[in-house]
Amino acid sequence: MQIVVCIKQVPDTAEVKIDRKTNTLIREGVPSIINPFDLHAVEEALLLRERCGGAVTALSMGPPQVEAALREALSLGVDQAVLLSDRAFAGADTLATSYTLAAGIRKIGAFDLILCGKQAIDGDTAQVGPEIAEWLDVPHLTYVSGIDEMILAEPARITVSRLVEGGYEQVRSSLPSLLTVVRELNEPRLPSFRASLRARTQAITVWGAADLDVDPERLGIDGSPTGVSRVFVPEYDRQGQIFAGGPEDQARALVDLLRSTRLI
Amino acid sequence: MSQIKLVSDRCAGCGECIAACPYNAVALENGLPVFSGACNLCGACVEACPSGAIERLAAAGKPAVDKASYRDIWVFAETRDGQPAKVVLQLLAAGRSLADQVGQQLCAVLIGDNPGGLAELLIAHGADRVLLAEHPALAACRDEPYTAVLARAVNQYRPSIILFGATAAGRSLAPRLAARLRTGLTADCTGLEIDPVSGDLLQTRPAFGGNIMAAIVTPNHRPQLATVRPGVFKPLQYDRSRQGEVTRLAVSNGLLAARTEVLGFTAAGGESVSLEDATVIVAGGRGLGSAENFELVKELASLLGGAVGASRAAVDEGWISYAHQVGQTGKTVSPRLFIACGISGAIQHLVGMQGSEVIVAINKNPDAPIFKVATYGLVGDAATILKELIAQLRSGS
């Protein structure tokens, strides 16, 4: 089976701090990583390939340095990597990003399954996966926590569990289809020595706008309906009461107060 | 140059565009519509197409949108077990205030097998109108037919804004609809306002992993779509005296095509975590230092009859499951009492709990941002203070 995994290179947002004087993000020295949810998508693609045969293509969009993320995917064992990189793609919101990725997937060729992480940790939108599915006119299933059944004989279909409020929904989709996956799905592997060696010299395909069958007006910032109007650090100032004394005194003051105000 | 364009891989060859064209400019060739020189780009076929296969592109590549022709605020009335999802009543409150501000109607879009009985409830919670689409094939919220029904309704009624709950269903459906309509969608909003100058919806959301807040706009496209984080807005009081009308949407077979099938549902077993409903939450963070110390949080929560919450750091450490996470990537809560133990108060956490009535912060660093939102602060080692609190509550002193 042919599987495409979409990955995003993201700053490790857990390492991002705010400069409280200028109210801006301190990005310097923040390492770039593969979006953690996408690693679960890569892992599932590799597991499915081991079970069903076929090939896995890792796909990303971004500036040239995203090659590092794709090389990491190669070192995990994906068969080939494609980077969509062009100044025309810059400033894309989820609609323009999904449009461009969908065009990249069309160019890669026939596919049975597209896997994405449920969302990226820098944007947290969870929109690009379903939007890709719409552009490609395939069904999509989000928040997939388990693949229960996969049948490649016609009619090809996949049955999954979705993590939804209060439990798990069992859903079946025809193939080809797009899934976005959550952490519970699997435990991502570490790079293998052999694959890492091979990944070092493996070629990464790079396509620009001219290589894709795209409407230039749908790319990048021009193709993005949404824009950021302003960015700010919220100001909180509740001017609360700080209790004095050691642990025992403070605890007593709090318990007394919560009791007298009937909060407990 | 403006043009009408066919996205042929989506076209079902149904011919609705031919019937809709006032200029006789559309004909079918090889099962696909072809637009002749008689076309004046009116867009009637764009609206008539049940599969969203026809687009109108403006000179600048942006859809030619006459913003003033889009009116009203819609709320997607997601249902669960035959009831509106809790977030729907919250969305109606948010939508009501936006609708009043711009002098437009608030509509709830209710889709399902036989959900009409809920219309009265939606009206009593603020809706002026309920758009109702009923069909057995719409029993489960499946993205393809729901997208088709909504896209059809949007083309017919042209709402300015559509709000969805940022639930599993809402966050799956809204992006499919946004891509179908070629419009903007903002995820997981925690604030909604109308910009008094442009009239655009200002959609506030945590960005960059919740380290900063961003206001997002959709300036040149309509409708403006947003998913809204559950727990942020408070529902309006149920008011039977509110008046509203119910309008039925036609559900043709062409809208019901689906390649997915819902087979069943398994409730999550084991621990029940109902943070959203708890009146008391005790939450722990990295400052507790160990899984063993995190047990103190659970102990205090149980003593107070409350629920256990956690910061992302504590979940990442593996001290407790993700179901307990409060914050940008977890849940938004607003209990009467929130006790934050060893939580420094990153914005991504604060956005999930700042709506709590009384916030108690326990942290060894007196400059930690958590104290900025705290009603009461205790400065010291969180584990030590927790042990004190537990001892005093146990002794009843």
Side-chain angles (χ1 to χ4, degrees):
Chain A
M1 70 183 302
Q2 298 299 317
I3 305 174
V4 177
V5 187
C6 299
I7 65 172
K8 183 180 187 186
Q9 188 182 56
V10 296
D12 189 346
T13 52
E15 302 288 321
V16 172
K17 299 279 181 296
I18 302 284
D19 182 332
R20 294 263 164 206
K21 291 203 182 86
T22 61
N23 274 347
T24 52
L25 296 167
I26 305 170
R27 304 191 200 204
E28 270 169 45
V30 175
S32 287
I33 55 173
I34 294 183
N35 175 43
F37 295 108
D38 301 350
L39 287 174
H40 295 269
V42 171
E43 176 64 26
E44 202 59 29
L46 297 173
L47 291 173
L48 287 169
R49 183 188 65 187
E50 284 158 16
R51 222 163 79 202
C52 310
V56 178
T57 304
L59 172 68
S60 193
M61 180 183 106
Q65 56 264 37
V66 174
E67 278 204 27
L70 286 167
R71 211 162 285 288
E72 189 182 335
L74 287 168
S75 76
L76 293 168
V78 308
D79 298 278
Q80 57 166 341
V82 176
L83 173 61
L84 309 179
S85 193
D86 196 308
R87 292 186 72 96
F89 302 156
D93 72 356
T94 62
L95 188 72
T97 300
S98 59
Y99 175 78
T100 310
L101 288 169
I105 293 168
R106 275 199 200 96
K107 176 150 177 144
I108 289 168
F111 60 87
D112 301 291
L113 195 62
I114 301 167
L115 293 170
C116 306
K118 73 158 181 173
Q119 65 196 51
I121 58 167
D122 58 345
D124 286 321
T125 72
Q127 290 170 190
V128 170
E131 290 185 335
I132 290 173
E134 172 63 15
W135 287 113
L136 293 173
D137 192 21
V138 296
H140 77 268
L141 300 172
T142 50
Y143 305 104
V144 171
S145 60
I147 293 183
D148 305 326
E149 182 189 50
M150 164 90 131
I151 292 167
L152 290 174
E154 288 301 323
R157 58 198 186 273
I158 189 167
T159 307
V160 306
S161 298
R162 294 180 64 216
L163 182 59
V164 300
E165 290 81 5
Y168 300 88
E169 189 182 66
Q170 283 78 45
V171 200
R172 178 175 295 157
S173 167
S174 65
L175 293 177
S177 184
L178 180 147
L179 312 182
T180 75
V181 309
V182 299
R183 285 203 162 115
E184 286 82 342
L185 182 62
N186 55 42
E187 195 56 50
R189 68 192 64 191
L190 294 169
S192 81
F193 181 68
R194 258 181 56 195
S196 299
L197 268 187
R198 199 184 56 214
R200 240 185 266 169
T201 53
Q202 221 168 330
I204 290 172
T205 306
V206 180
W207 289 330
D211 300 306
L212 301 174
D213 180 15
V214 286
D215 178 345
E217 290 162 347
R218 292 219 168 274
L219 301 174
I221 197 158
D222 288 347
S224 298
T226 64
V228 176
S229 147
R230 81 186 179 108
V231 167
F232 59 100
V233 176
E235 283 299 325
Y236 299 106
D237 196 4
R238 207 169 198 171
Q239 307 258 353
Q241 174 188 354
I242 307 279
F243 297 120
E248 199 187 329
D249 302 329
Q250 293 189 66
R252 185 168 311 283
L254 179 66
V255 169
D256 289 349
L257 206 143
L258 294 179
R259 281 197 175 130
S260 66
T261 51
R262 294 179 177 273
L263 278 160
I264 57 174
Chain B
M1 181 190 138
S2 294
Q3 55 173 325
I4 293 279
K5 198 172 145 187
L6 180 71
V7 186
S8 60
D9 59 359
R10 221 188 285 282
C11 173
C14 68
E16 288 224 22
C17 47
I18 298 172
C21 181
Y23 301 97
N24 276 330
V26 193
L28 276 192
E29 275 182 32
N30 299 324
L32 296 176
V34 178
F35 306 94
S36 77
C39 169
N40 88 336
L41 307 172
C42 73
C45 55
V46 177
E47 293 177 25
C49 178
S51 27
I54 306 175
E55 288 182 56
R56 178 171 49 180
L57 293 178
K62 302 210 160 89
V65 158
D66 171 16
K67 284 205 257 185
S69 74
Y70 286 79
R71 288 179 61 81
D72 297 344
I73 288 137
W74 285 13
V75 163
F76 171 63
E78 175 185 347
T79 59
R80 213 172 287 160
D81 301 326
Q83 287 300 315
K86 271 187 207 154
V87 69
V88 171
L89 305 185
Q90 301 163 14
L91 294 176
L92 287 171
R96 183 72 264 161
S97 112
L98 296 174
D100 290 343
Q101 197 182 331
V102 293
Q104 297 176 10
Q105 279 206 326
L106 176 66
C107 297
V109 186
L110 183 58
I111 305 176
D113 180 5
N114 185 20
L118 302 178
E120 190 200 330
L121 180 69
L122 298 171
I123 290 165
H125 275 99
D128 297 310
R129 189 182 197 188
V130 176
L131 294 175
L132 180 63
E134 286 186 300
H135 193 282
L138 297 171
C141 180
R142 292 182 297 165
D143 296 313
E144 290 174 282
Y146 273 52
T147 298
V149 167
L150 282 164
R152 185 77 196 256
V154 166
N155 287 330
Q156 191 176 350
Y157 293 101
R158 295 171 161 259
S160 173
I161 293 168
I162 312 179
L163 306 178
F164 297 79
T167 58
R171 294 187 80 175
S172 195
L173 173 61
R176 186 134 205 150
L177 180 65
R180 175 79 49 96
L181 300 172
R182 313 287 194 252
T183 191
L185 168 63
T186 304
D188 213 15
C189 298
T190 56
L192 298 169
E193 288 169 69
I194 302 286
D195 183 320
V197 179
S198 66
D200 294 336
L201 182 65
L202 284 173
Q203 306 157 105
T204 304
R205 69 180 302 262
F208 226 72
N211 288 296
I212 205 159
M213 304 295 285
I216 311 287
V217 287
T218 302
N220 299 313
H221 294 67
R222 289 294 180 270
Q224 307 158 88
L225 269 53
T227 62
V228 179
R229 171 154 271 244
V232 175
F233 294 97
K234 300 241 183 308
L236 298 173
Q237 286 284 335
Y238 177 89
D239 180 355
R240 288 189 67 149
S241 67
R242 278 186 213 274
Q243 299 293 311
E245 54 177 317
V246 177
T247 306
R248 277 175 188 279
L249 296 168
V251 181
S252 65
N253 283 334
L255 301 178
L256 297 174
R259 291 162 290 188
T260 61
E261 184 187 352
V262 177
L263 306 173
F265 177 81
T266 313
E271 50 182 347
S272 66
V273 186
S274 187
L275 284 170
E276 290 97 330
D277 298 329
T279 53
V280 175
I281 293 174
V282 186
R286 199 196 298 273
L288 288 163
S290 69
E292 198 186 348
N293 283 343
F294 199 92
E295 293 301 310
L296 298 167
V297 169
K298 297 183 187 168
E299 200 178 335
L300 181 60
S302 131
L303 271 174
L304 299 178
V308 178
S311 70
R312 185 173 69 190
V315 173
D316 287 349
E317 291 285 349
W319 297 341
I320 192 154
S321 73
Y322 169 70
H324 296 265
Q325 188 170 317
V326 172
Q328 155 69 357
T329 44
K331 291 175 172 142
T332 296
V333 298
S334 46
R336 285 196 68 208
L337 173 62
F338 188 96
I339 305 180
C341 314
I343 293 175
S344 65
I347 292 169
Q348 82 95 16
H349 182 72
L350 299 184
V351 298
M353 46 69 83
Q354 54 167 321
S356 309
E357 212 169 294
V358 170
I359 295 173
V360 175
I362 307 173
N363 201 292
K364 65 173 185 294
N365 174 9
D367 297 324
I370 191 76
F371 288 114
K372 289 253 165 80
V373 300
T375 328
Y376 306 116
L378 289 77
V379 180
D381 176 65
T384 311
I385 292 176
L386 271 172
K387 282 177 196 155
E388 261 319 316
L389 286 169
I390 290 164
Q392 294 194 20
L393 286 165
R394 278 204 195 289
S395 73
S397 69

